[in-house]
Amino acid sequence: MDLHIGRSLSTAEIASLLTEARTRTFLLVGTLSDAELRRLHDPLMSPIVWDLGHIAHFEEVWLRENIQNGDTGSEGLSGIYDPFENSRSKRAELPLLSFPECRAYLSTVRRAVLDALPELPAAGGTPLLADSFVFRMVLQHEYQHNETILQTLQLKHDDAYQPHRRVVAPAPDPDAPGIERMVRFPGGRVILGTDDRSIAYDNERPAHGVDVASFWIDAHPVTNAEYAAFMEADGYADRINWSDAGWAWKKEAGLEAPKYWERTTGEWTERFMDRVEALHPARPVCHVCYHEADAYARWAGTRLPTEVEWETAAAWKAGTDEPQVYPWGDGPPTASHANLDALLFETTPVGCYPEGRSPLGCWDMLGNVWEWTSTDFHPYPGYETFPYPEYSEVFFGDEYKVLRGGSWATRFGAVRNTFRNWDYPIRRQIFSGFRCAKNG
Ligand code: AVJ
Ligand code: FE
């Protein structure tokens, strides 16, 4: 699926991308009962019907009210579906639309959007419409909430979610070059971020030069086998591995293994939705918080990469001034580049995606697991809010750590080398792993 970054979309392309996004949303939630959709599965997440109503509301605000002066008759819903008015743990108490009502709301908004599309100025007369940005923003919003819904489904305590698994991982290529432990960036000036206005969020702009010192970075994310070695070496118990904040959190939360790891008969297992599997040694460790990633890195004699180092390892290509949009180049992601787009419903052993390697030699930069970086979420120099402060601006500060690269649950169109995600350093219901770096 191609979002044609950098140019405006035709009416037909917009319609087909919007339809495809909606088909996927319903594929994910279509087998759930009304009760499962309405329930608060975990205080960290919204009831799934909230996400669905919020997807419709966001589309209504941006593709009807803000560009078409449209009105679809849903006044009063703002108070329910505005994320800033109600925290996630309170959303189950709201008068939420039922699943059938959500379906009706989604389709009423969508019909109005599609009906009005042909009348929109083709070349895009406003900053929102220029290069079809606002359509890609609404698409990415639905994609992002698909991943949020998958986090909720993975958390579900009662009957495990049974996904439609539509894809199998490519078998590791026996002729593929072996994976080195670490690769080295020789140091130099790199361009980070982007000036793109067709898909990039405000927090990815502007493109800016940075002088980056030489460093080493893991050629693949830290694997289960590597993480298990840290556990066996009493890594969780040894104070020396932990920052003060990490140690305090570890004690309070009683952390002793990644979330969804279970040990019943001596051997660790890892759960993906309804599948409990023996720990695969070559899968990246997933569902660790920042503090666990940081502790592992200290134990290993390394550190987490900065987001500048991460993006350099993904996007820099020797001999060119232009950073690459994706680790493999500028072409859109496909199933042979990365474990993205959710239909595998689990992580894959590192080494399955030789086509996805970056020029520096890093595997799995996109897909599989989000990767914690050591960087707090701050704006780039020259940042300007566009189009609304509640996407990034209100989150800037040292409370959040930046994550990069997307996970198996991230849709193709929702990630690229410049994409910045962020979360609290204690979170681990997200599909998060990490890779390590060191000076040199
Ligand atoms: C970019 C994943 C941090 O889920 O809070 C969804 C994405 N923003 N709706 C979030 C988002 C508005 C955002 N993250
Ligand atoms: Fe949202």
Side-chain angles (χ1 to χ4, degrees):
M1 202 200 26
D2 191 352
L3 273 81
H4 307 287
I5 296 179
R7 68 160 170 83
S8 56
L9 299 164
S10 69
T11 303
E13 285 169 337
I14 293 167
S16 92
L17 286 165
L18 288 170
T19 303
E20 194 273 348
R22 189 56 46 78
T23 304
R24 173 60 65 86
T25 299
F26 282 114
L27 174 74
L28 296 180
V29 303
T31 54
L32 296 162
S33 70
D34 286 358
E36 289 171 305
L37 290 161
R38 183 67 177 75
R39 213 180 121 186
L40 188 75
H41 294 283
D42 190 286
L44 285 177
M45 308 305 293
S46 318
I48 293 169
V49 283
W50 187 89
D51 288 279
L52 297 173
H54 167 74
I55 289 169
H57 184 250
F58 191 87
E59 180 165 325
E60 179 175 36
V61 167
W62 290 99
L63 298 188
R64 293 290 292 149
E65 292 167 14
N66 291 355
I67 63 170
Q68 300 176 344
N69 297 318
D71 176 4
T72 34
S74 64
E75 304 83 8
L77 290 178
S78 288
I80 298 177
Y81 295 112
D82 179 338
F84 291 89
E85 293 207 19
N86 307 287
S87 67
R88 283 182 173 180
S89 61
K90 297 278 168 349
R91 289 174 191 165
E93 293 147 37
L94 297 169
L96 299 175
L97 299 179
S98 67
F99 183 52
E101 288 164 346
C102 281
R103 267 203 316 252
Y105 182 29
L106 284 160
S107 71
T108 308
V109 172
R110 180 56 61 81
R111 213 173 311 116
V113 167
L114 293 178
D115 286 350
L117 268 188
E119 291 144 39
L120 284 175
T126 67
L128 276 178
L129 287 167
D131 288 332
S132 305
F133 167 79
V134 72
F135 297 102
R136 291 191 192 81
M137 182 178 83
V138 167
L139 285 163
Q140 286 185 89
H141 185 254
E142 186 154 352
Y143 301 157
Q144 289 178 337
H145 277 274
N146 283 181
E147 181 158 354
T148 310
I149 289 169
L150 286 163
Q151 292 165 16
T152 309
L153 292 171
Q154 169 74 16
L155 273 163
K156 206 157 121 29
H157 311 287
D158 44 11
D159 292 345
Y161 174 64
Q162 291 187 300
H164 292 271
R165 293 185 170 85
R166 299 282 170 99
V167 165
V168 288
D173 176 356
D175 299 326
I179 309 186
E180 294 160 85
R181 175 64 264 185
M182 286 185 129
V183 295
R184 183 171 182 271
F185 173 70
R189 191 160 183 83
V190 297
I191 306 291
L192 295 166
T194 179
D195 290 325
D196 172 79
R197 303 194 74 92
S198 70
I199 192 166
Y201 282 101
D202 51 8
N203 68 40
E204 297 167 66
R205 283 192 298 268
H208 54 289
V210 181
D211 291 314
V212 183
S214 62
F215 64 89
W216 291 87
I217 189 165
D218 284 347
H220 58 77
V222 169
T223 62
N224 284 335
E226 291 166 330
Y227 198 81
F230 161 73
M231 288 167 58
E232 274 153 32
D234 274 335
Y236 276 88
D238 197 345
R239 176 69 183 84
I240 200 163
N241 298 325
W242 298 78
S243 67
D244 292 348
W247 185 252
W249 176 245
K250 184 205 79 112
K251 282 202 293 186
E252 188 185 334
L255 304 184
E256 47 187 30
K259 196 171 173 69
Y260 308 119
W261 281 33
E262 279 156 45
R263 183 162 56 176
T264 36
T265 56
E267 296 300 313
W268 285 105
T269 59
E270 164 176 46
R271 179 173 71 80
F272 301 97
M273 307 294 174
D274 56 341
R275 278 187 189 161
V276 177
E277 300 183 11
L279 218 55
H280 191 303
R283 278 188 164 132
V285 65
C286 191
H287 298 296
V288 287
C289 69
Y290 174 85
H291 296 306
E292 291 167 296
D294 178 60
Y296 174 94
R298 291 169 193 237
W299 171 79
T302 57
R303 57 174 173 81
L304 295 177
T306 64
E307 71 165 327
V308 167
E309 289 168 338
W310 190 98
E311 193 169 319
T312 300
W316 176 80
K317 189 173 179 187
T320 71
D321 295 336
E322 281 284 296
Q324 303 196 135
V325 180
Y326 300 104
W328 51 87
D330 294 338
T334 68
S336 61
H337 287 118
N339 180 3
L340 286 165
D341 220 42
L343 293 185
L344 239 119
F345 291 95
E346 60 187 0
T347 56
T348 43
V350 297
C352 290
Y353 296 94
E355 280 181 50
R357 268 171 306 162
S358 73
L360 202 63
C362 289
W363 298 61
D364 280 356
M365 292 302 281
L366 299 198
N368 231 357
V369 290
W370 285 102
E371 299 181 17
W372 289 107
T373 73
S374 60
T375 305
D376 296 338
F377 186 47
H378 286 292
Y380 291 154
Y383 163 87
E384 280 175 38
T385 292
F386 177 79
Y388 68 118
E390 292 84 4
Y391 183 77
S392 315
E393 194 188 318
V394 300
F395 296 102
F396 287 142
D398 50 19
E399 272 189 278
Y400 295 94
K401 290 291 181 189
V402 172
L403 297 115
R404 293 299 203 105
S407 75
W408 64 262
T410 309
R411 297 226 56 199
F412 285 136
V415 75
R416 49 207 160 263
N417 286 342
T418 56
F419 185 85
R420 308 171 76 200
N421 195 2
W422 65 93
D423 215 325
Y424 290 116
I426 62 171
R427 290 289 183 252
R428 54 189 211 150
Q429 88 284 6
I430 55 178
F431 303 102
S432 50
F434 63 99
R435 74 179 70 213
C436 299
K438 61 183 185 187
N439 297 351

